[in-house]
Amino acid sequence: MIMRTEDDQPEAERPDDAAPEQAETAQTRRAMLRIGALGTAAVVTVRPGIAHAAVSALTCQIPVPQSSQSNKWIKNNGDVVNPNTANSYKPPSSPLKGEDVKNSLKYGTSYPGYSSQQTAAYNKYIKKLTIGKQGYTCYASLQSPGRQ
């Protein structure tokens, strides 16, 4: 049994008076339709990933400071310092929730159970996070456009 693709048309089905330009146009149209169909499939598969990212941005957590510095405190300028350093605060007892961080950074709310001074110091620490540090991915996802 011989299978043919949609581009393979037997000579009998092709009109005799069809110009070569018309045949090329038909093939180009078919190719464009295939590309369009592939593009639609890609959009369908990407969108759930975007929705998942929006949800995970609010449920992610940021340790302050990162776990390798768990015995350190946060100075009011966001630096990590030794315990009981002047103008520093004991770190939060658990990682900060992404939704709380978003609200604090966007609306100026304090973290539950912490003063506005502690919150300001923690936020300065978070804003200094760089690639490779714990919490950076969460912080970056909160900064992405569309995370209202």
Side-chain angles (χ1 to χ4, degrees), residues 1 3 5 9 39 41 46 79 89 99-100 102 108-109 112 115 118 128 132 134-135 138 145:
M1 178 160 126
M3 305 273 301
T5 65
Q9 294 183 359
V46 170
D79 290 345
Y89 303 97
E99 188 164 14
D100 292 337
K102 180 194 74 151
T109 60
S115 71
Q118 287 172 300
K128 291 181 176 185
Q134 284 180 315
C138 180

Side-chain angles (χ1 to χ4, degrees), residues 1-2 9 24 29 39 42 61 77 87 91 93-94 101-102 113 122 128 133 136-137 143 147:
M1 178 160 126
I2 298 175
Q9 294 183 359
E24 287 177 24
R29 277 193 224 134
Q61 297 182 342
N77 66 359
N87 299 316
S93 56
S94 61
V101 172
K102 180 194 74 151
Y122 301 156
K128 291 181 176 185
K133 301 255 181 173
Y136 174 79
T137 303
Q143 300 304 304
R147 306 275 189 263

Side-chain angles (χ1 to χ4, degrees), residues 1 38 52 54 62 70 101 118 123 127 133 142:
M1 178 160 126
L38 291 174
H52 178 69
I62 300 175
S70 60
V101 172
Q118 287 172 300
N123 284 346
K127 288 177 182 180
K133 301 255 181 173
L142 295 172

Side-chain angles (χ1 to χ4, degrees), residues 40-132:
T40 302
V43 169
V44 170
T45 57
V46 170
R47 289 209 182 270
I50 292 170
H52 178 69
V55 170
S56 64
L58 297 179
T59 60
C60 64
Q61 297 182 342
I62 300 175
V64 176
Q66 59 184 342
S67 59
S68 64
Q69 300 173 314
S70 60
N71 60 337
K72 302 286 185 173
W73 285 26
I74 306 300
K75 194 168 180 165
N76 60 0
N77 66 359
D79 290 345
V80 179
V81 296
N82 289 322
N84 299 314
T85 300
N87 299 316
S88 67
Y89 303 97
K90 188 175 182 176
S93 56
S94 61
L96 299 173
K97 296 177 185 172
E99 188 164 14
D100 292 337
V101 172
K102 180 194 74 151
N103 289 333
S104 181
L105 294 172
K106 189 170 184 177
Y107 304 112
T109 60
S110 291
Y111 296 116
Y114 298 98
S115 71
S116 59
Q117 292 85 6
Q118 287 172 300
T119 297
Y122 301 156
N123 284 346
K124 287 177 184 173
Y125 168 83
I126 290 168
K127 288 177 182 180
K128 291 181 176 185
L129 288 173
T130 57
I131 294 174

